[in-house]
Amino acid sequence: MLFRSDVREIRAPMLVLVGALDAGSTPAMARRLAGAVPGAKLSVVPRHGHMLPLEAADTVNEAFRSFLQSL
């Protein structure tokens, strides 16, 4: 996952959600993105890959619910 340098200008709340086994958009890439956006939150879903909404729908829903409640 490559991102533009102006991603650091994002001021909206952001949840970066990634599967621990994602080989395309890796957890390391997600950590870099979350680290580049002020206040971004990172959630790594264990034992799952790239298709989180299909592989782990309940976990994804809970991650979003928790994130939104934290705002």
Side-chain angles (χ1 to χ4, degrees):
M1 173 186 339
L2 299 175
F3 52 88
R4 298 166 30 152
S5 61
D6 60 355
V7 73
R8 298 180 197 296
E9 297 174 22
I10 296 173
R11 296 296 180 255
M14 178 185 280
L15 172 64
V16 179
L17 189 60
V18 65
L21 304 178
D22 193 332
S25 299
T26 67
M29 294 172 176
R31 278 190 285 282
R32 282 198 304 273
L33 177 59
V37 176
K41 296 184 192 243
L42 173 66
S43 180
V44 180
V45 180
R47 300 178 309 278
H48 292 287
H50 188 73
M51 300 298 290
L52 287 177
L54 297 175
E55 296 175 16
D58 290 341
T59 302
V60 168
N61 287 337
E62 182 53 36
F64 280 122
R65 187 175 0 254
S66 177
F67 174 70
L68 292 172
Q69 288 176 342
S70 75
L71 300 179

Short mmCIF file of all heavy atoms in Angstrom, two decimals:
data_model
loop_
_atom_site.label_atom_id
_atom_site.label_comp_id
_atom_site.label_asym_id
_atom_site.label_seq_id
_atom_site.Cartn_x
_atom_site.Cartn_y
_atom_site.Cartn_z
N MET A 1 0.86 -1.17 0.00
CA MET A 1 0.00 0.00 0.00
C MET A 1 0.90 1.23 0.00
O MET A 1 1.60 1.49 0.95
CB MET A 1 -0.90 -0.01 1.24
CG MET A 1 -1.70 1.22 1.42
SD MET A 1 -2.67 1.33 2.97
CE MET A 1 -2.83 -0.31 3.52
N LEU A 2 0.87 1.95 -1.06
CA LEU A 2 1.58 3.22 -1.14
C LEU A 2 0.58 4.33 -0.92
O LEU A 2 -0.58 4.23 -1.32
CB LEU A 2 2.23 3.37 -2.52
CG LEU A 2 3.26 2.31 -2.88
CD1 LEU A 2 3.73 2.50 -4.30
CD2 LEU A 2 4.43 2.35 -1.93
N PHE A 3 1.01 5.40 -0.29
CA PHE A 3 0.10 6.51 -0.12
C PHE A 3 0.84 7.81 -0.35
O PHE A 3 2.05 7.88 -0.24
CB PHE A 3 -0.60 6.49 1.23
CG PHE A 3 0.33 6.36 2.41
CD1 PHE A 3 0.88 7.48 3.01
CD2 PHE A 3 0.62 5.11 2.93
CE1 PHE A 3 1.72 7.35 4.09
CE2 PHE A 3 1.46 4.99 4.01
CZ PHE A 3 2.02 6.10 4.60
N ARG A 4 0.09 8.81 -0.69
CA ARG A 4 0.66 10.11 -0.99
C ARG A 4 1.10 10.81 0.28
O ARG A 4 0.56 10.55 1.35
CB ARG A 4 -0.39 10.94 -1.71
CG ARG A 4 -0.82 10.33 -3.02
CD ARG A 4 -2.07 10.92 -3.59
NE ARG A 4 -2.28 12.31 -3.26
CZ ARG A 4 -2.95 13.16 -4.00
NH1 ARG A 4 -3.46 12.73 -5.13
NH2 ARG A 4 -3.13 14.40 -3.63
N SER A 5 2.03 11.69 0.14
CA SER A 5 2.56 12.40 1.32
C SER A 5 1.49 13.27 1.97
O SER A 5 1.56 13.52 3.18
CB SER A 5 3.77 13.24 0.93
OG SER A 5 3.42 14.21 -0.03
N ASP A 6 0.50 13.71 1.20
CA ASP A 6 -0.52 14.59 1.79
C ASP A 6 -1.52 13.83 2.66
O ASP A 6 -2.40 14.43 3.27
CB ASP A 6 -1.23 15.43 0.74
CG ASP A 6 -1.95 14.61 -0.31
OD1 ASP A 6 -1.84 13.38 -0.31
OD2 ASP A 6 -2.63 15.24 -1.15
N VAL A 7 -1.35 12.52 2.79
CA VAL A 7 -2.21 11.75 3.69
C VAL A 7 -2.05 12.28 5.13
O VAL A 7 -2.96 12.20 5.94
CB VAL A 7 -1.92 10.24 3.60
CG1 VAL A 7 -0.60 9.89 4.25
CG2 VAL A 7 -3.02 9.42 4.20
N ARG A 8 -0.90 12.86 5.42
CA ARG A 8 -0.64 13.42 6.75
C ARG A 8 -1.55 14.61 7.07
O ARG A 8 -1.66 15.01 8.22
CB ARG A 8 0.82 13.85 6.86
CG ARG A 8 1.78 12.70 6.70
CD ARG A 8 3.22 13.15 6.81
NE ARG A 8 4.19 12.23 6.28
CZ ARG A 8 4.45 11.01 6.73
NH1 ARG A 8 3.78 10.54 7.74
NH2 ARG A 8 5.35 10.24 6.18
N GLU A 9 -2.18 15.15 6.06
CA GLU A 9 -3.07 16.29 6.25
C GLU A 9 -4.49 15.88 6.64
O GLU A 9 -5.31 16.73 6.97
CB GLU A 9 -3.10 17.14 4.99
CG GLU A 9 -1.74 17.74 4.66
CD GLU A 9 -1.74 18.47 3.34
OE1 GLU A 9 -2.82 18.90 2.87
OE2 GLU A 9 -0.64 18.63 2.77
N ILE A 10 -4.80 14.61 6.59
CA ILE A 10 -6.14 14.13 6.95
C ILE A 10 -6.39 14.42 8.42
O ILE A 10 -5.57 14.09 9.28
CB ILE A 10 -6.29 12.62 6.66
CG1 ILE A 10 -6.17 12.37 5.17
CG2 ILE A 10 -7.62 12.10 7.23
CD1 ILE A 10 -6.13 10.90 4.79
N ARG A 11 -7.50 15.03 8.71
CA ARG A 11 -7.86 15.36 10.09
C ARG A 11 -9.15 14.68 10.53
O ARG A 11 -9.61 14.85 11.64
CB ARG A 11 -8.01 16.88 10.27
CG ARG A 11 -6.72 17.64 10.04
CD ARG A 11 -5.67 17.27 11.09
NE ARG A 11 -4.43 17.98 10.90
CZ ARG A 11 -3.32 17.44 10.41
NH1 ARG A 11 -3.30 16.18 10.04
NH2 ARG A 11 -2.22 18.14 10.28
N ALA A 12 -9.73 13.90 9.65
CA ALA A 12 -10.95 13.15 9.98
C ALA A 12 -10.58 11.90 10.76
O ALA A 12 -9.48 11.36 10.58
CB ALA A 12 -11.68 12.76 8.69
N PRO A 13 -11.47 11.44 11.62
CA PRO A 13 -11.22 10.18 12.32
C PRO A 13 -11.01 9.05 11.31
O PRO A 13 -11.69 8.98 10.28
CB PRO A 13 -12.50 9.95 13.12
CG PRO A 13 -13.13 11.28 13.24
CD PRO A 13 -12.76 12.02 11.99
N MET A 14 -10.05 8.19 11.58
CA MET A 14 -9.74 7.11 10.64
C MET A 14 -9.48 5.81 11.41
O MET A 14 -8.75 5.79 12.38
CB MET A 14 -8.52 7.44 9.80
CG MET A 14 -8.12 6.33 8.85
SD MET A 14 -6.59 6.67 7.94
CE MET A 14 -7.22 7.74 6.67
N LEU A 15 -10.11 4.75 10.93
CA LEU A 15 -9.84 3.41 11.40
C LEU A 15 -9.15 2.67 10.27
O LEU A 15 -9.69 2.58 9.17
CB LEU A 15 -11.12 2.68 11.79
CG LEU A 15 -10.97 1.20 12.13
CD1 LEU A 15 -10.10 1.01 13.37
CD2 LEU A 15 -12.34 0.56 12.33
N VAL A 16 -7.97 2.17 10.52
CA VAL A 16 -7.25 1.35 9.55
C VAL A 16 -7.42 -0.10 10.02
O VAL A 16 -6.96 -0.46 11.09
CB VAL A 16 -5.76 1.74 9.48
CG1 VAL A 16 -5.03 0.87 8.49
CG2 VAL A 16 -5.62 3.22 9.13
N LEU A 17 -8.10 -0.88 9.22
CA LEU A 17 -8.45 -2.25 9.58
C LEU A 17 -7.74 -3.19 8.61
O LEU A 17 -7.85 -3.02 7.39
CB LEU A 17 -9.97 -2.40 9.47
CG LEU A 17 -10.63 -3.63 9.98
CD1 LEU A 17 -10.39 -3.82 11.47
CD2 LEU A 17 -12.13 -3.56 9.73
N VAL A 18 -7.01 -4.16 9.15
CA VAL A 18 -6.24 -5.06 8.29
C VAL A 18 -6.24 -6.46 8.88
O VAL A 18 -6.27 -6.63 10.10
CB VAL A 18 -4.79 -4.54 8.12
CG1 VAL A 18 -4.03 -4.56 9.43
CG2 VAL A 18 -4.03 -5.30 7.05
N GLY A 19 -6.23 -7.44 7.99
CA GLY A 19 -6.11 -8.82 8.44
C GLY A 19 -4.64 -9.16 8.68
O GLY A 19 -3.77 -8.78 7.89
N ALA A 20 -4.37 -9.87 9.74
CA ALA A 20 -2.99 -10.23 10.09
C ALA A 20 -2.33 -11.05 8.99
O ALA A 20 -1.10 -11.03 8.85
CB ALA A 20 -2.97 -10.98 11.41
N LEU A 21 -3.12 -11.78 8.21
CA LEU A 21 -2.57 -12.64 7.16
C LEU A 21 -2.69 -12.02 5.77
O LEU A 21 -2.47 -12.70 4.77
CB LEU A 21 -3.28 -14.00 7.18
CG LEU A 21 -3.22 -14.75 8.51
CD1 LEU A 21 -4.01 -16.05 8.42
CD2 LEU A 21 -1.79 -14.99 8.94
N ASP A 22 -3.01 -10.75 5.69
CA ASP A 22 -3.18 -10.07 4.40
C ASP A 22 -1.82 -9.94 3.73
O ASP A 22 -0.92 -9.28 4.25
CB ASP A 22 -3.81 -8.70 4.60
CG ASP A 22 -4.30 -8.09 3.30
OD1 ASP A 22 -3.73 -8.40 2.23
OD2 ASP A 22 -5.25 -7.28 3.35
N ALA A 23 -1.66 -10.56 2.56
CA ALA A 23 -0.39 -10.52 1.84
C ALA A 23 -0.33 -9.37 0.85
O ALA A 23 0.75 -9.00 0.39
CB ALA A 23 -0.17 -11.84 1.11
N GLY A 24 -1.47 -8.78 0.51
CA GLY A 24 -1.50 -7.68 -0.46
C GLY A 24 -1.37 -6.33 0.19
O GLY A 24 -0.52 -5.51 -0.18
N SER A 25 -2.22 -6.06 1.15
CA SER A 25 -2.16 -4.83 1.96
C SER A 25 -1.76 -5.29 3.35
O SER A 25 -2.60 -5.55 4.20
CB SER A 25 -3.52 -4.14 1.99
OG SER A 25 -3.92 -3.78 0.69
N THR A 26 -0.48 -5.41 3.55
CA THR A 26 0.06 -6.08 4.73
C THR A 26 -0.15 -5.27 6.01
O THR A 26 -0.35 -4.05 5.96
CB THR A 26 1.56 -6.33 4.57
OG1 THR A 26 2.25 -5.08 4.55
CG2 THR A 26 1.86 -7.13 3.30
N PRO A 27 -0.09 -5.93 7.15
CA PRO A 27 -0.17 -5.22 8.42
C PRO A 27 0.92 -4.14 8.55
O PRO A 27 0.67 -3.07 9.10
CB PRO A 27 0.00 -6.32 9.46
CG PRO A 27 -0.59 -7.53 8.80
CD PRO A 27 -0.14 -7.40 7.36
N ALA A 28 2.10 -4.40 8.00
CA ALA A 28 3.16 -3.38 8.05
C ALA A 28 2.74 -2.14 7.28
O ALA A 28 2.99 -1.00 7.73
CB ALA A 28 4.46 -3.95 7.49
N MET A 29 2.11 -2.31 6.13
CA MET A 29 1.62 -1.18 5.35
C MET A 29 0.54 -0.43 6.12
O MET A 29 0.50 0.80 6.14
CB MET A 29 1.07 -1.65 4.01
CG MET A 29 2.08 -2.23 3.09
SD MET A 29 1.22 -2.94 1.66
CE MET A 29 2.58 -3.44 0.66
N ALA A 30 -0.35 -1.19 6.76
CA ALA A 30 -1.43 -0.57 7.53
C ALA A 30 -0.86 0.22 8.70
O ALA A 30 -1.34 1.32 9.01
CB ALA A 30 -2.40 -1.65 8.03
N ARG A 31 0.19 -0.31 9.34
CA ARG A 31 0.82 0.42 10.44
C ARG A 31 1.42 1.73 9.95
O ARG A 31 1.32 2.76 10.62
CB ARG A 31 1.90 -0.44 11.11
CG ARG A 31 1.35 -1.42 12.13
CD ARG A 31 2.45 -2.07 12.94
NE ARG A 31 3.18 -3.07 12.19
CZ ARG A 31 2.73 -4.31 11.95
NH1 ARG A 31 1.56 -4.69 12.43
NH2 ARG A 31 3.45 -5.16 11.27
N ARG A 32 2.06 1.70 8.77
CA ARG A 32 2.63 2.94 8.21
C ARG A 32 1.53 3.96 7.93
O ARG A 32 1.69 5.14 8.22
CB ARG A 32 3.43 2.64 6.95
CG ARG A 32 4.80 2.07 7.24
CD ARG A 32 5.73 2.18 6.06
NE ARG A 32 5.24 1.58 4.83
CZ ARG A 32 5.39 0.31 4.48
NH1 ARG A 32 6.03 -0.52 5.27
NH2 ARG A 32 4.91 -0.12 3.35
N LEU A 33 0.42 3.50 7.36
CA LEU A 33 -0.68 4.42 7.07
C LEU A 33 -1.24 5.00 8.36
O LEU A 33 -1.40 6.22 8.48
CB LEU A 33 -1.79 3.70 6.29
CG LEU A 33 -3.04 4.53 6.00
CD1 LEU A 33 -2.69 5.79 5.19
CD2 LEU A 33 -4.07 3.69 5.27
N ALA A 34 -1.53 4.15 9.32
CA ALA A 34 -2.09 4.62 10.60
C ALA A 34 -1.11 5.57 11.28
O ALA A 34 -1.52 6.56 11.91
CB ALA A 34 -2.42 3.44 11.51
N GLY A 35 0.18 5.31 11.16
CA GLY A 35 1.18 6.18 11.77
C GLY A 35 1.32 7.52 11.08
O GLY A 35 1.77 8.49 11.68
N ALA A 36 0.92 7.57 9.82
CA ALA A 36 1.04 8.81 9.05
C ALA A 36 -0.14 9.75 9.24
O ALA A 36 -0.03 10.95 8.99
CB ALA A 36 1.20 8.49 7.56
N VAL A 37 -1.27 9.23 9.67
CA VAL A 37 -2.48 10.05 9.83
C VAL A 37 -2.66 10.36 11.31
O VAL A 37 -2.84 9.45 12.12
CB VAL A 37 -3.72 9.32 9.28
CG1 VAL A 37 -4.98 10.13 9.52
CG2 VAL A 37 -3.55 9.04 7.79
N PRO A 38 -2.62 11.64 11.66
CA PRO A 38 -2.75 12.01 13.07
C PRO A 38 -4.02 11.45 13.70
O PRO A 38 -5.12 11.62 13.17
CB PRO A 38 -2.78 13.54 13.03
CG PRO A 38 -2.10 13.90 11.75
CD PRO A 38 -2.45 12.81 10.79
N GLY A 39 -3.86 10.73 14.79
CA GLY A 39 -5.00 10.21 15.53
C GLY A 39 -5.63 8.96 14.96
O GLY A 39 -6.62 8.46 15.51
N ALA A 40 -5.10 8.43 13.86
CA ALA A 40 -5.69 7.21 13.27
C ALA A 40 -5.55 6.05 14.24
O ALA A 40 -4.61 5.96 15.01
CB ALA A 40 -5.00 6.88 11.95
N LYS A 41 -6.53 5.15 14.18
CA LYS A 41 -6.51 3.95 15.00
C LYS A 41 -6.30 2.75 14.09
O LYS A 41 -6.87 2.67 13.02
CB LYS A 41 -7.81 3.80 15.77
CG LYS A 41 -8.02 4.94 16.75
CD LYS A 41 -9.26 4.72 17.57
CE LYS A 41 -9.57 6.00 18.29
NZ LYS A 41 -9.56 6.10 19.62
N LEU A 42 -5.49 1.82 14.55
CA LEU A 42 -5.19 0.61 13.80
C LEU A 42 -5.81 -0.59 14.50
O LEU A 42 -5.71 -0.73 15.72
CB LEU A 42 -3.68 0.42 13.71
CG LEU A 42 -3.20 -0.90 13.09
CD1 LEU A 42 -3.58 -0.97 11.62
CD2 LEU A 42 -1.70 -1.04 13.27
N SER A 43 -6.44 -1.45 13.71
CA SER A 43 -6.98 -2.70 14.24
C SER A 43 -6.52 -3.84 13.33
O SER A 43 -6.80 -3.82 12.13
CB SER A 43 -8.51 -2.64 14.29
OG SER A 43 -9.02 -3.85 14.80
N VAL A 44 -5.77 -4.78 13.89
CA VAL A 44 -5.29 -5.94 13.14
C VAL A 44 -6.14 -7.14 13.56
O VAL A 44 -6.21 -7.46 14.74
CB VAL A 44 -3.80 -6.20 13.42
CG1 VAL A 44 -3.32 -7.41 12.64
CG2 VAL A 44 -2.96 -4.97 13.08
N VAL A 45 -6.76 -7.78 12.59
CA VAL A 45 -7.64 -8.92 12.86
C VAL A 45 -6.83 -10.21 12.70
O VAL A 45 -6.38 -10.53 11.60
CB VAL A 45 -8.86 -8.92 11.91
CG1 VAL A 45 -9.76 -10.10 12.21
CG2 VAL A 45 -9.62 -7.61 12.03
N PRO A 46 -6.62 -10.93 13.79
CA PRO A 46 -5.82 -12.17 13.74
C PRO A 46 -6.47 -13.24 12.87
O PRO A 46 -7.68 -13.29 12.72
CB PRO A 46 -5.78 -12.65 15.20
CG PRO A 46 -6.40 -11.60 16.01
CD PRO A 46 -7.15 -10.67 15.12
N ARG A 47 -5.63 -14.08 12.29
CA ARG A 47 -6.06 -15.28 11.55
C ARG A 47 -6.88 -15.00 10.30
O ARG A 47 -7.56 -15.90 9.80
CB ARG A 47 -6.82 -16.26 12.47
CG ARG A 47 -6.02 -16.76 13.66
CD ARG A 47 -6.81 -17.67 14.58
NE ARG A 47 -8.10 -17.16 14.99
CZ ARG A 47 -8.29 -16.29 16.00
NH1 ARG A 47 -7.27 -15.84 16.67
NH2 ARG A 47 -9.50 -15.87 16.32
N HIS A 48 -6.86 -13.77 9.80
CA HIS A 48 -7.64 -13.47 8.59
C HIS A 48 -6.80 -12.68 7.61
O HIS A 48 -5.80 -12.08 7.97
CB HIS A 48 -8.91 -12.70 8.95
CG HIS A 48 -9.88 -13.54 9.71
ND1 HIS A 48 -10.61 -14.55 9.12
CD2 HIS A 48 -10.22 -13.55 11.01
CE1 HIS A 48 -11.36 -15.13 10.04
NE2 HIS A 48 -11.14 -14.55 11.20
N GLY A 49 -7.24 -12.70 6.34
CA GLY A 49 -6.51 -12.06 5.27
C GLY A 49 -7.16 -10.80 4.75
O GLY A 49 -7.67 -9.98 5.52
N HIS A 50 -7.20 -10.68 3.43
CA HIS A 50 -7.60 -9.44 2.77
C HIS A 50 -9.12 -9.21 2.74
O HIS A 50 -9.56 -8.07 2.69
CB HIS A 50 -7.05 -9.44 1.34
CG HIS A 50 -7.22 -8.16 0.63
ND1 HIS A 50 -6.48 -7.04 0.93
CD2 HIS A 50 -8.05 -7.81 -0.37
CE1 HIS A 50 -6.85 -6.05 0.15
NE2 HIS A 50 -7.79 -6.48 -0.66
N MET A 51 -9.89 -10.24 2.76
CA MET A 51 -11.35 -10.11 2.58
C MET A 51 -12.07 -10.08 3.94
O MET A 51 -12.98 -10.86 4.19
CB MET A 51 -11.87 -11.25 1.72
CG MET A 51 -11.26 -11.29 0.33
SD MET A 51 -11.62 -9.81 -0.63
CE MET A 51 -13.34 -10.02 -0.91
N LEU A 52 -11.67 -9.17 4.78
CA LEU A 52 -12.20 -9.14 6.15
C LEU A 52 -13.72 -9.11 6.25
O LEU A 52 -14.28 -9.83 7.07
CB LEU A 52 -11.60 -7.96 6.92
CG LEU A 52 -10.15 -8.12 7.31
CD1 LEU A 52 -9.65 -6.86 8.00
CD2 LEU A 52 -9.95 -9.31 8.19
N PRO A 53 -14.42 -8.30 5.46
CA PRO A 53 -15.89 -8.29 5.61
C PRO A 53 -16.53 -9.65 5.34
O PRO A 53 -17.57 -9.95 5.90
CB PRO A 53 -16.34 -7.25 4.58
CG PRO A 53 -15.17 -6.35 4.42
CD PRO A 53 -13.96 -7.27 4.53
N LEU A 54 -15.88 -10.46 4.50
CA LEU A 54 -16.41 -11.80 4.22
C LEU A 54 -15.86 -12.83 5.20
O LEU A 54 -16.58 -13.74 5.62
CB LEU A 54 -16.05 -12.22 2.79
CG LEU A 54 -16.64 -11.35 1.68
CD1 LEU A 54 -16.13 -11.80 0.33
CD2 LEU A 54 -18.16 -11.39 1.71
N GLU A 55 -14.58 -12.71 5.55
CA GLU A 55 -13.93 -13.69 6.40
C GLU A 55 -14.30 -13.54 7.88
O GLU A 55 -14.33 -14.52 8.62
CB GLU A 55 -12.41 -13.57 6.28
CG GLU A 55 -11.86 -13.89 4.91
CD GLU A 55 -10.37 -13.62 4.83
OE1 GLU A 55 -9.70 -13.49 5.88
OE2 GLU A 55 -9.87 -13.54 3.70
N ALA A 56 -14.51 -12.30 8.30
CA ALA A 56 -14.69 -12.03 9.73
C ALA A 56 -15.70 -10.89 9.93
O ALA A 56 -15.41 -9.89 10.58
CB ALA A 56 -13.35 -11.67 10.36
N ALA A 57 -16.89 -11.07 9.39
CA ALA A 57 -17.90 -10.01 9.41
C ALA A 57 -18.21 -9.52 10.83
O ALA A 57 -18.28 -8.31 11.06
CB ALA A 57 -19.17 -10.48 8.73
N ASP A 58 -18.37 -10.42 11.76
CA ASP A 58 -18.69 -10.00 13.13
C ASP A 58 -17.56 -9.19 13.74
O ASP A 58 -17.80 -8.18 14.42
CB ASP A 58 -18.99 -11.21 14.02
CG ASP A 58 -20.30 -11.89 13.65
OD1 ASP A 58 -21.14 -11.25 12.98
OD2 ASP A 58 -20.48 -13.06 14.02
N THR A 59 -16.34 -9.58 13.49
CA THR A 59 -15.18 -8.86 14.02
C THR A 59 -15.07 -7.48 13.39
O THR A 59 -14.79 -6.49 14.08
CB THR A 59 -13.89 -9.67 13.78
OG1 THR A 59 -14.03 -10.94 14.39
CG2 THR A 59 -12.67 -8.96 14.34
N VAL A 60 -15.30 -7.40 12.09
CA VAL A 60 -15.26 -6.11 11.39
C VAL A 60 -16.36 -5.20 11.93
O VAL A 60 -16.11 -4.02 12.23
CB VAL A 60 -15.41 -6.31 9.87
CG1 VAL A 60 -15.65 -4.99 9.15
CG2 VAL A 60 -14.17 -7.00 9.31
N ASN A 61 -17.56 -5.72 12.08
CA ASN A 61 -18.66 -4.91 12.60
C ASN A 61 -18.35 -4.40 14.01
O ASN A 61 -18.60 -3.23 14.32
CB ASN A 61 -19.96 -5.71 12.61
CG ASN A 61 -20.52 -5.91 11.23
OD1 ASN A 61 -20.21 -5.16 10.31
ND2 ASN A 61 -21.32 -6.94 11.07
N GLU A 62 -17.78 -5.24 14.84
CA GLU A 62 -17.44 -4.82 16.19
C GLU A 62 -16.32 -3.78 16.19
O GLU A 62 -16.35 -2.83 16.97
CB GLU A 62 -17.03 -6.02 17.05
CG GLU A 62 -16.72 -5.65 18.48
CD GLU A 62 -17.82 -4.85 19.18
OE1 GLU A 62 -19.01 -5.11 18.94
OE2 GLU A 62 -17.48 -3.95 19.97
N ALA A 63 -15.36 -3.93 15.29
CA ALA A 63 -14.28 -2.93 15.19
C ALA A 63 -14.86 -1.57 14.80
O ALA A 63 -14.50 -0.54 15.38
CB ALA A 63 -13.24 -3.39 14.18
N PHE A 64 -15.75 -1.55 13.82
CA PHE A 64 -16.39 -0.29 13.41
C PHE A 64 -17.26 0.27 14.54
O PHE A 64 -17.23 1.47 14.81
CB PHE A 64 -17.24 -0.47 12.15
CG PHE A 64 -16.43 -0.47 10.89
CD1 PHE A 64 -16.47 -1.55 10.03
CD2 PHE A 64 -15.62 0.61 10.55
CE1 PHE A 64 -15.73 -1.55 8.86
CE2 PHE A 64 -14.88 0.61 9.39
CZ PHE A 64 -14.93 -0.47 8.53
N ARG A 65 -18.03 -0.57 15.19
CA ARG A 65 -18.90 -0.13 16.27
C ARG A 65 -18.07 0.51 17.39
O ARG A 65 -18.36 1.61 17.86
CB ARG A 65 -19.72 -1.30 16.81
CG ARG A 65 -20.78 -0.91 17.82
CD ARG A 65 -21.66 -2.08 18.26
NE ARG A 65 -21.35 -3.25 17.68
CZ ARG A 65 -21.85 -4.07 16.72
NH1 ARG A 65 -22.64 -4.03 16.33
NH2 ARG A 65 -21.54 -5.09 16.14
N SER A 66 -17.01 -0.16 17.78
CA SER A 66 -16.14 0.34 18.83
C SER A 66 -15.49 1.66 18.43
O SER A 66 -15.40 2.61 19.21
CB SER A 66 -15.08 -0.71 19.16
OG SER A 66 -14.19 -0.22 20.11
N PHE A 67 -15.01 1.72 17.18
CA PHE A 67 -14.39 2.94 16.68
C PHE A 67 -15.38 4.11 16.69
O PHE A 67 -15.07 5.19 17.18
CB PHE A 67 -13.86 2.71 15.26
CG PHE A 67 -13.32 3.94 14.61
CD1 PHE A 67 -12.14 4.52 15.04
CD2 PHE A 67 -14.00 4.51 13.54
CE1 PHE A 67 -11.65 5.67 14.43
CE2 PHE A 67 -13.52 5.65 12.93
CZ PHE A 67 -12.34 6.23 13.37
N LEU A 68 -16.56 3.87 16.17
CA LEU A 68 -17.56 4.94 16.12
C LEU A 68 -17.99 5.39 17.51
O LEU A 68 -18.20 6.58 17.75
CB LEU A 68 -18.77 4.49 15.29
CG LEU A 68 -18.49 4.32 13.81
CD1 LEU A 68 -19.69 3.68 13.11
CD2 LEU A 68 -18.11 5.63 13.15
N GLN A 69 -18.09 4.46 18.45
CA GLN A 69 -18.45 4.82 19.82
C GLN A 69 -17.36 5.63 20.49
O GLN A 69 -17.63 6.39 21.43
CB GLN A 69 -18.78 3.57 20.63
CG GLN A 69 -20.09 2.95 20.23
CD GLN A 69 -20.38 1.65 20.97
OE1 GLN A 69 -19.48 1.03 21.53
NE2 GLN A 69 -21.64 1.23 20.92
N SER A 70 -16.13 5.48 20.04
CA SER A 70 -15.02 6.21 20.64
C SER A 70 -14.94 7.66 20.18
O SER A 70 -14.19 8.44 20.74
CB SER A 70 -13.69 5.51 20.32
OG SER A 70 -13.29 5.76 18.96
N LEU A 71 -15.72 8.00 19.17
CA LEU A 71 -15.65 9.38 18.61
C LEU A 71 -16.41 10.35 19.47
O LEU A 71 -17.36 10.06 20.10
CB LEU A 71 -16.18 9.39 17.18
CG LEU A 71 -15.43 8.51 16.21
CD1 LEU A 71 -16.07 8.60 14.85
CD2 LEU A 71 -13.96 8.89 16.13
#
